[in-house]
Amino acid sequence: MQPVRGTRDLIGADARRHHHVAETARHTAGLYGFEEWFTPIFEDTGVFARGLGDTSDVVSKEMYSFEDRGGDSITLRPEGTAGVCRALVSNGLTQTLPQKVFYAGPMFRYERPQKGRYRQFHQIGIEVLGAAEPLADAEVIACGWQILNRLGVADGVVLEINTLGDDASRDAYRAALVEHFSAQADKLSHDSKLRLEKNPQRILDSKDEGDRAIVATAPTIDAYLTPEAAAFFEAVQKYLTQFGVPFRRNPRIVRGLDYYSHTAFEFVTDRLGAQGTVMGGGRYNGLVEEMGGPATPSVGWAAGMERLSLLMEVVGNNPQPPRPVAVIPQGDAAETPALALIQKLRQAGITAEIGYRGNLKRRMERANRQNARAALFVDEAGAIQLKDLDSGEQRAVSEDAAVAALGG
Ligand code: HAM
């Protein structure tokens, strides 16, 4: 039996890096006042179909949707934001704003698997729900940057930011793009011809070589921003500078989901091959309304845990399991005092292992395989010898002295 295409088992070093990513992100987000929410892994299909936009690839091609036994259309969540907004409304929290939410967990997209891209992957993410101020955008980004730093992967990762403007900016820009692309429509790829009608901005994101040439000469949004949208973007950049977060403007960022306006950003790297976006997000002011709530301006991001984990591997940041203490009974009659000792160690917070069987030699081999830092030899009278396995020093100790010496 093999795992389903695009899914992976995380074991050993992979599991440790994955765990470290989640713990580091959870802790760092806590420093910024984010609290963790746990929302279901599946939702009514409408949560995503309505929320993410039916012209997005995620909704049109990538959702794992199925009818359950009761005949309801269910979708495995392809991302976390829509579910968090749904939860805000379902739980009657739209009057207690802002809510600052952290989440971590599996997401599902039917994409072509490759390095850094899977069908079941995991995201960490944060959302500030109910804050219209540009300071919220900058704080969210600063938190992401701090997480990358704490993971030791910030080197070689660049923050690219853009503005998608407000509705009026967008309409004006859209018209300009339609004009630009229509003039060369016959040279556009099939997909981009379709996008021209439904969502011309998405053409800016096209990976097609022929499209790229036409995109290169397309206008940027700057000339079409309303004064308010331009001022908002200025303020976000000012705050980012105050937070000490380096960034670069990339006017071609459009993001793959339809709910964004104003700020859009991505942390990108060239260290992971084709899948170089490690974290992406932006402002979304209409999503909570789509879920039946009041207008609730919001901003957030999500990051692919597998990509962060791959980056940790690239820079050689591989968390090690704690080195255990090996408790070694000398003869069958020593098992009873050895078990009493090992429970004392564990209750004192010391990682300790006891082999289930084997002679002294076998048990020592096992201790070395586990990279044990110390061995405690116990005889049938309960006398203990503590051996430091790095220095080789050995001495007789009491139970309490063993616990104290090993850091309990
Ligand atoms: P997204 O750009 O679709 O945004 O995904 C965010 C991140 O998830 C990507 O940058 C990437 O690191 C990771 N990711 C996406 N798809 C895959 C995949 N198939 N395999 C591995 N990693 C993947 C969102 O999901 C938005 N909900 C982000 C957001 C939150 N915007 C506002 N708040």
Side-chain angles (χ1 to χ4, degrees):
M1 295 287 269
Q2 293 298 316
V4 173
R5 187 166 138 81
T7 70
R8 302 190 318 148
D9 302 307
L10 298 175
I11 297 171
D14 287 331
R16 286 195 296 271
R17 278 194 304 273
H18 189 86
H19 179 78
H20 183 73
V21 167
E23 283 301 299
T24 303
R26 184 175 283 122
H27 179 254
T28 310
L31 301 177
Y32 286 75
F34 289 85
E35 266 203 282
E36 188 159 11
W37 286 15
F38 300 88
T39 64
I41 284 172
F42 53 83
E43 299 267 0
D44 278 330
T45 296
V47 169
F48 306 112
R50 266 209 310 270
L52 314 190
D54 50 15
T55 65
S56 68
D57 282 354
V58 172
V59 171
S60 61
K61 303 183 199 159
E62 297 169 1
M63 293 209 302
Y64 278 92
S65 300
F66 59 96
E67 203 172 280
D68 72 7
R69 287 166 194 274
D72 293 324
S73 178
I74 300 294
T75 294
L76 300 184
R77 64 183 184 191
E79 58 100 59
T81 313
V84 165
C85 290
R86 195 272 310 139
L88 181 85
V89 177
S90 317
N91 290 278
L93 295 170
T94 55
Q95 300 307 316
T96 37
L97 300 174
Q99 292 281 338
K100 297 172 83 174
V101 183
F102 169 82
Y103 56 90
M107 309 288 162
F108 306 85
R109 296 184 191 178
Y110 192 80
E111 294 194 81
R112 198 168 47 75
Q114 63 180 90
K115 182 181 166 194
R117 190 165 70 195
Y118 311 98
R119 290 183 174 172
Q120 174 173 335
F121 59 102
H122 299 78
Q123 286 184 342
I124 47 165
I126 59 174
E127 316 287 352
V128 178
L129 303 165
E133 295 78 11
L135 179 53
D137 305 50
E139 190 186 47
V140 155
I141 295 172
C143 178
W145 179 236
Q146 188 165 344
I147 291 169
L148 297 176
N149 275 285
R150 289 197 159 202
L151 291 173
V153 302
D155 254 11
V157 175
V158 174
L159 166 61
E160 299 190 332
I161 63 167
N162 193 23
T163 177
L164 306 175
D166 49 19
D167 287 349
S169 321
R170 229 188 225 221
D171 290 346
Y173 184 44
R174 185 190 156 100
L177 286 178
V178 169
E179 194 181 316
H180 174 80
F181 289 123
S182 298
Q184 308 171 71
D186 50 325
K187 292 190 221 134
L188 286 174
S189 66
H190 173 72
D191 276 356
S192 286
K193 279 193 190 115
L194 294 179
R195 293 181 188 124
L196 184 53
E197 275 162 37
K198 288 187 173 161
N199 191 348
Q201 235 169 312
R202 184 66 38 73
I203 301 175
L204 297 173
D205 205 21
S206 172
K207 305 283 178 290
D208 180 273
E209 273 305 312
D211 289 348
R212 302 293 320 156
I214 306 170
V215 166
T217 56
T220 67
I221 197 169
D222 295 27
Y224 305 93
L225 289 177
T226 59
E228 297 76 30
F232 189 93
F233 191 41
E234 274 303 313
V236 173
Q237 295 177 70
K238 181 193 80 183
Y239 285 127
L240 282 176
T241 305
Q242 283 183 21
F243 280 131
V245 181
F247 61 88
R248 135 176 124 200
R249 172 81 194 279
N250 177 356
R252 300 288 179 225
I253 294 180
V254 291
R255 307 279 305 129
L257 303 162
D258 285 354
Y259 48 58
Y260 296 105
S261 57
H262 290 286
T263 318
F265 60 90
E266 292 181 343
F267 284 91
V268 295
T269 181
D270 54 15
R271 293 184 170 175
L272 295 180
Q275 301 307 315
T277 307
V278 293
M279 187 180 279
R283 178 162 278 284
Y284 49 98
N285 289 344
L287 191 50
V288 174
E289 264 173 303
E290 288 285 346
M291 301 299 156
T296 308
S298 303
V299 58
W301 54 253
M305 292 177 66
E306 286 79 3
R307 295 184 192 177
L308 293 172
S309 183
L310 279 166
L311 273 182
M312 283 176 62
E313 204 178 350
V314 168
V315 301
N317 182 3
N318 293 305
Q320 299 299 313
R323 296 179 69 191
V325 171
V327 173
I328 300 181
Q330 292 176 307
D332 292 346
E335 195 175 72
T336 300
L339 290 179
L341 174 62
I342 197 166
Q343 284 312 85
K344 233 184 185 170
L345 292 167
R346 289 167 173 165
Q347 275 151 18
I350 297 166
T351 302
E353 289 265 21
I354 185 163
Y356 300 128
R357 61 190 167 97
N359 59 20
L360 182 65
K361 180 160 171 269
R362 276 280 149 73
R363 287 172 185 267
M364 277 312 291
E365 280 167 5
R366 184 180 148 84
N368 288 328
R369 238 188 353 262
Q370 293 176 327
N371 194 25
R373 59 190 172 112
L376 288 167
F377 302 101
V378 185
D379 74 11
E380 59 219 47
I384 304 166
Q385 290 278 327
L386 166 60
K387 181 170 185 179
D388 183 315
L389 293 179
D390 292 328
S391 68
E393 261 171 57
Q394 186 168 329
R395 62 192 161 100
V397 288
S398 68
E399 239 180 34
D400 289 345
V403 169
L406 294 166

mmCIF file with all atom_site columns, all heavy atoms in Angstrom, residues 150-162:
data_model
loop_
_atom_site.group_PDB
_atom_site.id
_atom_site.type_symbol
_atom_site.label_atom_id
_atom_site.label_alt_id
_atom_site.label_comp_id
_atom_site.label_asym_id
_atom_site.label_entity_id
_atom_site.label_seq_id
_atom_site.pdbx_PDB_ins_code
_atom_site.Cartn_x
_atom_site.Cartn_y
_atom_site.Cartn_z
_atom_site.occupancy
_atom_site.B_iso_or_equiv
_atom_site.pdbx_formal_charge
_atom_site.auth_seq_id
_atom_site.auth_comp_id
_atom_site.auth_asym_id
_atom_site.auth_atom_id
_atom_site.pdbx_PDB_model_num
ATOM 1  N N   . ARG A 1 150 ? 12.845 33.437 13.288 1.00 0.00 ? 150 ARG A N   1
ATOM 2  C CA  . ARG A 1 150 ? 13.009 32.478 14.379 1.00 0.00 ? 150 ARG A CA  1
ATOM 3  C C   . ARG A 1 150 ? 13.252 31.060 13.888 1.00 0.00 ? 150 ARG A C   1
ATOM 4  O O   . ARG A 1 150 ? 13.848 30.246 14.585 1.00 0.00 ? 150 ARG A O   1
ATOM 5  C CB  . ARG A 1 150 ? 11.766 32.488 15.263 1.00 0.00 ? 150 ARG A CB  1
ATOM 6  C CG  . ARG A 1 150 ? 11.668 33.764 16.061 1.00 0.00 ? 150 ARG A CG  1
ATOM 7  C CD  . ARG A 1 150 ? 10.694 33.570 17.184 1.00 0.00 ? 150 ARG A CD  1
ATOM 8  N NE  . ARG A 1 150 ? 10.948 34.552 18.214 1.00 0.00 ? 150 ARG A NE  1
ATOM 9  C CZ  . ARG A 1 150 ? 10.576 34.422 19.476 1.00 0.00 ? 150 ARG A CZ  1
ATOM 10 N NH1 . ARG A 1 150 ? 9.944  33.338 19.855 1.00 0.00 ? 150 ARG A NH1 1
ATOM 11 N NH2 . ARG A 1 150 ? 10.822 35.359 20.345 1.00 0.00 ? 150 ARG A NH2 1
ATOM 12 N N   . LEU A 1 151 ? 12.751 30.774 12.690 1.00 0.00 ? 151 LEU A N   1
ATOM 13 C CA  . LEU A 1 151 ? 13.003 29.455 12.107 1.00 0.00 ? 151 LEU A CA  1
ATOM 14 C C   . LEU A 1 151 ? 14.391 29.389 11.480 1.00 0.00 ? 151 LEU A C   1
ATOM 15 O O   . LEU A 1 151 ? 14.833 28.322 11.043 1.00 0.00 ? 151 LEU A O   1
ATOM 16 C CB  . LEU A 1 151 ? 11.942 29.123 11.047 1.00 0.00 ? 151 LEU A CB  1
ATOM 17 C CG  . LEU A 1 151 ? 10.527 28.878 11.562 1.00 0.00 ? 151 LEU A CG  1
ATOM 18 C CD1 . LEU A 1 151 ? 9.555  28.725 10.404 1.00 0.00 ? 151 LEU A CD1 1
ATOM 19 C CD2 . LEU A 1 151 ? 10.502 27.616 12.438 1.00 0.00 ? 151 LEU A CD2 1
ATOM 20 N N   . GLY A 1 152 ? 15.056 30.540 11.411 1.00 0.00 ? 152 GLY A N   1
ATOM 21 C CA  . GLY A 1 152 ? 16.394 30.580 10.826 1.00 0.00 ? 152 GLY A CA  1
ATOM 22 C C   . GLY A 1 152 ? 16.394 30.543 9.310  1.00 0.00 ? 152 GLY A C   1
ATOM 23 O O   . GLY A 1 152 ? 17.408 30.216 8.697  1.00 0.00 ? 152 GLY A O   1
ATOM 24 N N   . VAL A 1 153 ? 15.254 30.869 8.674  1.00 0.00 ? 153 VAL A N   1
ATOM 25 C CA  . VAL A 1 153 ? 15.165 30.738 7.210  1.00 0.00 ? 153 VAL A CA  1
ATOM 26 C C   . VAL A 1 153 ? 14.969 32.078 6.504  1.00 0.00 ? 153 VAL A C   1
ATOM 27 O O   . VAL A 1 153 ? 14.720 32.117 5.299  1.00 0.00 ? 153 VAL A O   1
ATOM 28 C CB  . VAL A 1 153 ? 14.021 29.773 6.802  1.00 0.00 ? 153 VAL A CB  1
ATOM 29 C CG1 . VAL A 1 153 ? 14.240 28.401 7.437  1.00 0.00 ? 153 VAL A CG1 1
ATOM 30 C CG2 . VAL A 1 153 ? 12.658 30.326 7.190  1.00 0.00 ? 153 VAL A CG2 1
ATOM 31 N N   . ALA A 1 154 ? 15.091 33.182 7.242  1.00 0.00 ? 154 ALA A N   1
ATOM 32 C CA  . ALA A 1 154 ? 14.786 34.487 6.630  1.00 0.00 ? 154 ALA A CA  1
ATOM 33 C C   . ALA A 1 154 ? 15.801 34.889 5.554  1.00 0.00 ? 154 ALA A C   1
ATOM 34 O O   . ALA A 1 154 ? 15.458 35.592 4.604  1.00 0.00 ? 154 ALA A O   1
ATOM 35 C CB  . ALA A 1 154 ? 14.703 35.563 7.710  1.00 0.00 ? 154 ALA A CB  1
ATOM 36 N N   . ASP A 1 155 ? 17.044 34.415 5.717  1.00 0.00 ? 155 ASP A N   1
ATOM 37 C CA  . ASP A 1 155 ? 18.062 34.704 4.696  1.00 0.00 ? 155 ASP A CA  1
ATOM 38 C C   . ASP A 1 155 ? 17.640 34.102 3.371  1.00 0.00 ? 155 ASP A C   1
ATOM 39 O O   . ASP A 1 155 ? 17.298 32.934 3.317  1.00 0.00 ? 155 ASP A O   1
ATOM 40 C CB  . ASP A 1 155 ? 19.390 34.043 5.109  1.00 0.00 ? 155 ASP A CB  1
ATOM 41 C CG  . ASP A 1 155 ? 20.374 35.069 5.588  1.00 0.00 ? 155 ASP A CG  1
ATOM 42 O OD1 . ASP A 1 155 ? 19.943 36.217 5.792  1.00 0.00 ? 155 ASP A OD1 1
ATOM 43 O OD2 . ASP A 1 155 ? 21.556 34.713 5.762  1.00 0.00 ? 155 ASP A OD2 1
ATOM 44 N N   . GLY A 1 156 ? 17.672 34.891 2.316  1.00 0.00 ? 156 GLY A N   1
ATOM 45 C CA  . GLY A 1 156 ? 17.294 34.340 1.018  1.00 0.00 ? 156 GLY A CA  1
ATOM 46 C C   . GLY A 1 156 ? 15.792 34.381 0.786  1.00 0.00 ? 156 GLY A C   1
ATOM 47 O O   . GLY A 1 156 ? 15.305 33.896 -0.229 1.00 0.00 ? 156 GLY A O   1
ATOM 48 N N   . VAL A 1 157 ? 15.032 34.916 1.746  1.00 0.00 ? 157 VAL A N   1
ATOM 49 C CA  . VAL A 1 157 ? 13.593 35.108 1.544  1.00 0.00 ? 157 VAL A CA  1
ATOM 50 C C   . VAL A 1 157 ? 13.329 36.612 1.449  1.00 0.00 ? 157 VAL A C   1
ATOM 51 O O   . VAL A 1 157 ? 13.822 37.382 2.272  1.00 0.00 ? 157 VAL A O   1
ATOM 52 C CB  . VAL A 1 157 ? 12.772 34.503 2.700  1.00 0.00 ? 157 VAL A CB  1
ATOM 53 C CG1 . VAL A 1 157 ? 11.288 34.818 2.532  1.00 0.00 ? 157 VAL A CG1 1
ATOM 54 C CG2 . VAL A 1 157 ? 12.975 32.997 2.774  1.00 0.00 ? 157 VAL A CG2 1
ATOM 55 N N   . VAL A 1 158 ? 12.575 36.997 0.432  1.00 0.00 ? 158 VAL A N   1
ATOM 56 C CA  . VAL A 1 158 ? 12.307 38.418 0.198  1.00 0.00 ? 158 VAL A CA  1
ATOM 57 C C   . VAL A 1 158 ? 10.810 38.667 0.306  1.00 0.00 ? 158 VAL A C   1
ATOM 58 O O   . VAL A 1 158 ? 10.001 37.881 -0.199 1.00 0.00 ? 158 VAL A O   1
ATOM 59 C CB  . VAL A 1 158 ? 12.796 38.828 -1.212 1.00 0.00 ? 158 VAL A CB  1
ATOM 60 C CG1 . VAL A 1 158 ? 12.398 40.261 -1.529 1.00 0.00 ? 158 VAL A CG1 1
ATOM 61 C CG2 . VAL A 1 158 ? 14.295 38.666 -1.319 1.00 0.00 ? 158 VAL A CG2 1
ATOM 62 N N   . LEU A 1 159 ? 10.462 39.758 0.984  1.00 0.00 ? 159 LEU A N   1
ATOM 63 C CA  . LEU A 1 159 ? 9.055  40.152 1.066  1.00 0.00 ? 159 LEU A CA  1
ATOM 64 C C   . LEU A 1 159 ? 8.728  41.055 -0.126 1.00 0.00 ? 159 LEU A C   1
ATOM 65 O O   . LEU A 1 159 ? 9.341  42.098 -0.314 1.00 0.00 ? 159 LEU A O   1
ATOM 66 C CB  . LEU A 1 159 ? 8.808  40.914 2.375  1.00 0.00 ? 159 LEU A CB  1
ATOM 67 C CG  . LEU A 1 159 ? 7.476  41.682 2.471  1.00 0.00 ? 159 LEU A CG  1
ATOM 68 C CD1 . LEU A 1 159 ? 6.279  40.737 2.362  1.00 0.00 ? 159 LEU A CD1 1
ATOM 69 C CD2 . LEU A 1 159 ? 7.423  42.469 3.785  1.00 0.00 ? 159 LEU A CD2 1
ATOM 70 N N   . GLU A 1 160 ? 7.759  40.618 -0.930 1.00 0.00 ? 160 GLU A N   1
ATOM 71 C CA  . GLU A 1 160 ? 7.297  41.446 -2.043 1.00 0.00 ? 160 GLU A CA  1
ATOM 72 C C   . GLU A 1 160 ? 5.887  41.916 -1.727 1.00 0.00 ? 160 GLU A C   1
ATOM 73 O O   . GLU A 1 160 ? 5.039  41.116 -1.315 1.00 0.00 ? 160 GLU A O   1
ATOM 74 C CB  . GLU A 1 160 ? 7.294  40.629 -3.335 1.00 0.00 ? 160 GLU A CB  1
ATOM 75 C CG  . GLU A 1 160 ? 8.679  40.136 -3.708 1.00 0.00 ? 160 GLU A CG  1
ATOM 76 C CD  . GLU A 1 160 ? 8.743  39.541 -5.104 1.00 0.00 ? 160 GLU A CD  1
ATOM 77 O OE1 . GLU A 1 160 ? 7.707  39.031 -5.584 1.00 0.00 ? 160 GLU A OE1 1
ATOM 78 O OE2 . GLU A 1 160 ? 9.837  39.606 -5.704 1.00 0.00 ? 160 GLU A OE2 1
ATOM 79 N N   . ILE A 1 161 ? 5.658  43.213 -1.893 1.00 0.00 ? 161 ILE A N   1
ATOM 80 C CA  . ILE A 1 161 ? 4.318  43.721 -1.576 1.00 0.00 ? 161 ILE A CA  1
ATOM 81 C C   . ILE A 1 161 ? 3.742  44.494 -2.752 1.00 0.00 ? 161 ILE A C   1
ATOM 82 O O   . ILE A 1 161 ? 4.457  44.989 -3.622 1.00 0.00 ? 161 ILE A O   1
ATOM 83 C CB  . ILE A 1 161 ? 4.316  44.633 -0.322 1.00 0.00 ? 161 ILE A CB  1
ATOM 84 C CG1 . ILE A 1 161 ? 5.160  45.882 -0.558 1.00 0.00 ? 161 ILE A CG1 1
ATOM 85 C CG2 . ILE A 1 161 ? 4.802  43.901 0.893  1.00 0.00 ? 161 ILE A CG2 1
ATOM 86 C CD1 . ILE A 1 161 ? 4.934  46.933 0.512  1.00 0.00 ? 161 ILE A CD1 1
ATOM 87 N N   . ASN A 1 162 ? 2.433  44.555 -2.748 1.00 0.00 ? 162 ASN A N   1
ATOM 88 C CA  . ASN A 1 162 ? 1.727  45.275 -3.800 1.00 0.00 ? 162 ASN A CA  1
ATOM 89 C C   . ASN A 1 162 ? 0.408  45.769 -3.228 1.00 0.00 ? 162 ASN A C   1
ATOM 90 O O   . ASN A 1 162 ? -0.006 45.370 -2.139 1.00 0.00 ? 162 ASN A O   1
ATOM 91 C CB  . ASN A 1 162 ? 1.456  44.328 -4.986 1.00 0.00 ? 162 ASN A CB  1
ATOM 92 C CG  . ASN A 1 162 ? 1.006  45.075 -6.221 1.00 0.00 ? 162 ASN A CG  1
ATOM 93 O OD1 . ASN A 1 162 ? 1.283  46.267 -6.377 1.00 0.00 ? 162 ASN A OD1 1
ATOM 94 N ND2 . ASN A 1 162 ? 0.303  44.385 -7.109 1.00 0.00 ? 162 ASN A ND2 1
#
